[in-house]
């Protein structure tokens, strides 16, 4: 979540930035406010950027596993990486 927010804050400006900041950390944000914040994140590509960064990092991590001998632990780490990339929240 942090990378999404940092990326969005670097890209949003003006009214859009103000709207986003007004919702950020607001414990009683309405569904409409949350949907608007999500729309703002999508509009500047922050969610897609975070997915790309995660994919790159997981690919690099899995590549490092190639140097280890085959084992159930190595298989478990690969499975965990695959699971992490497939999850949505």
């Amino acid at each position: 979540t942090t990378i999404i927010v940092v990326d969005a804050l670097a890209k949003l400006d003006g009214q859009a930035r103000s709207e986003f900041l007004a919702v950020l950390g607001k414990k009683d944000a309405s569904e409409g406010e949350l949907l608007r914040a999500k729309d703002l994140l999508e509009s500047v590509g922050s969610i897609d950027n975070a997915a790309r960064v995660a994919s790159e990092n997981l690919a690099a991590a899995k590549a490092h596993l190639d140097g280890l001998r085959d084992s159930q632990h190595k298989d478990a780490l690969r499975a965990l990486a695959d699971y992490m990339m497939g999850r949505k929240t």
Side-chain angles (χ1 to χ4, degrees), residues 5-24 36 40 44:
V5 172
V6 170
D7 185 71
L9 291 175
K11 294 175 179 174
L12 290 169
D13 59 7
Q15 181 64 27
R17 183 182 176 89
S18 295
E19 285 181 60
F20 183 72
L21 286 171
V23 176
L24 189 62
R36 175 63 179 145
L40 290 168
V44 295

Side-chain angles (χ1 to χ4, degrees), residues 1-80:
T1 304
T2 302
I3 192 170
I4 296 172
V5 172
V6 170
D7 185 71
L9 291 175
K11 294 175 179 174
L12 290 169
D13 59 7
Q15 181 64 27
R17 183 182 176 89
S18 295
E19 285 181 60
F20 183 72
L21 286 171
V23 176
L24 189 62
K26 185 176 179 182
K27 294 181 194 268
D28 62 345
S30 70
E31 184 176 347
E33 289 173 316
L34 295 172
L35 290 173
R36 175 63 179 145
K38 182 182 176 216
D39 288 344
L40 290 168
L41 293 172
E42 289 174 343
S43 74
V44 295
S46 295
I47 295 171
D48 289 339
N49 179 61
R52 180 189 54 76
V53 169
S55 179
E56 289 172 359
N57 287 339
L58 284 170
K62 287 173 74 173
H64 286 292
L65 292 175
D66 291 340
L68 300 176
R69 64 180 169 81
D70 289 340
S71 71
Q72 67 184 22
H73 305 293
K74 179 179 172 178
D75 293 342
L77 289 171
R78 283 193 185 283
L80 178 61

